[in-house]
Amino acid sequence: MRLIEQLQRLYCLPEQTGYVLSPGAVADGTRHRLSATDLEAGPAGEASVALDLTSPDGRVRALVIEFARSAHWPQAAALCQGLSDDLELPTPAVAVGGPAGYQLWLSLAEPLPLAMARDFLQALRQKYLADVPAATLRLYPGEGNACPRLPPAALDNGGWTAFIDPTMGAMFADETWLPMAPNADKQADMLATLGSIKTGDFQRALAQLQAAVPAADHPPIAAPAASASAAKAGLQLGGDFSDPKDFLLALMNDAAAPAAARVEAAKALLPYFHAPKA
């Protein structure tokens, strides 16, 4: 099925695991490897497929931002625009998710470390979604083990989740689902137009987002390191760094490093990845 091929191209890990559930069921128990046949259960209306976005070695290929209220479509649309215009990244897929409201699905060209993915989601939230209450927003992968439901799939209210044209998002303000099963070929055509975020672009965008965080949001740095070697020793980064830019990238993406040090590294890297706009 073309739709399954597109879902695997954009969002699935090499050995994707997750759950195959009846509509409305809670994901619990042991996750198992999902085959193409398992993924087909969603579009067929036979089950709901929940994807485990993190591989056993702690890497991620897809990011999902879920809005529980349809009233937050303006913020979801603004985030889509920001990803494209501000960060110069591929447009995410937009889905109506039934009771979940809206979902934004971001695809990564290659699996990246979980900590980096979470940093990116939190930075997006701080920049574009600060006015969305935490109780109505869910980021995947998050701190827990929750798995997002993959569209399209049947809902227990008789409706369907589905990917939609982003320009039609406001039309679902009253009911964030389709009344009938979407056409699988049209869903595939929609996904076929989408690209994945390349690793270099992801790192550049993350540096740009973290550099934009106000300094007041972070504790001050006591004193700058005398050299990359000294900083490496204090921060316990792995690897040998003869190139300062390589060291700064490692520091920026090190979840164990102090937040203030990571922000300063992102600021220093920004000119290498994002030229000033005229």
Side-chain angles (χ1 to χ4, degrees):
M1 180 185 288
R2 289 178 54 240
L3 174 55
I4 302 306
E5 292 174 357
Q6 291 300 323
L7 292 171
Q8 291 176 319
R9 176 182 72 87
L10 290 168
Y11 308 120
C12 289
L13 291 158
E15 296 186 0
Q16 182 64 57
T17 62
Y19 304 93
V20 180
L21 308 163
S22 59
V26 177
D28 56 12
T30 303
R31 305 173 191 185
H32 68 277
R33 184 172 177 179
L34 298 175
S35 66
T37 301
D38 291 327
L39 296 177
E40 289 173 357
E46 299 169 353
S48 177
V49 178
L51 292 187
D52 182 359
L53 299 186
T54 307
S55 68
D57 63 347
R59 304 183 80 80
V60 178
R61 258 226 70 199
L63 311 176
V64 180
I65 302 170
E66 193 171 82
F67 299 81
R69 296 178 183 171
S70 60
H72 291 135
W73 169 248
Q75 289 90 337
L79 174 54
C80 290
Q81 195 72 28
L83 287 164
S84 175
D85 293 352
D86 300 341
L87 302 177
E88 301 175 4
L89 299 176
T91 304
V94 177
V96 285
Y102 297 95
Q103 293 177 328
L104 304 184
W105 285 77
L106 289 73
S107 171
L108 304 180
E110 59 184 356
L112 294 176
L114 173 60
M116 190 185 300
R118 287 175 173 168
D119 285 348
F120 186 77
L121 287 170
Q122 290 298 332
L124 287 178
R125 179 178 184 177
Q126 184 168 5
K127 181 172 178 61
Y128 296 103
L129 306 174
D131 59 341
V132 178
T136 66
L137 186 67
R138 201 160 202 174
L139 309 177
Y140 301 94
E143 295 301 327
N145 296 318
C147 300
R149 306 299 178 96
L150 182 67
L155 296 165
D156 55 1
N157 66 357
W160 280 75
T161 66
F163 293 103
I164 63 169
D165 183 331
T167 63
M168 299 175 63
M171 295 177 59
F172 295 89
D174 295 327
E175 295 182 344
T176 53
W177 61 83
L178 298 186
M180 62 186 68
N183 181 282
D185 285 335
K186 290 184 178 179
Q187 292 278 287
D189 290 342
M190 195 178 305
L191 295 179
T193 66
L194 302 178
S196 299
I197 303 173
K198 297 178 181 178
T199 298
D201 290 335
F202 184 92
Q203 292 174 331
R204 169 189 54 76
L206 178 58
Q208 182 178 342
L209 287 166
Q210 292 181 326
V213 176
D217 290 350
H218 302 279
I221 299 177
S227 66
S229 297
K232 175 192 166 185
L235 293 167
Q236 298 183 345
L237 295 176
D240 295 319
F241 301 97
S242 58
D243 186 333
K245 188 170 72 170
D246 291 340
F247 165 75
L248 288 171
L249 275 170
L251 172 58
M252 183 189 74
N253 294 320
D254 183 6
R262 297 177 67 189
V263 170
E264 292 302 316
K267 289 179 180 179
L269 284 167
L270 188 57
Y272 293 96
F273 293 104
H274 191 75
K277 293 185 177 180

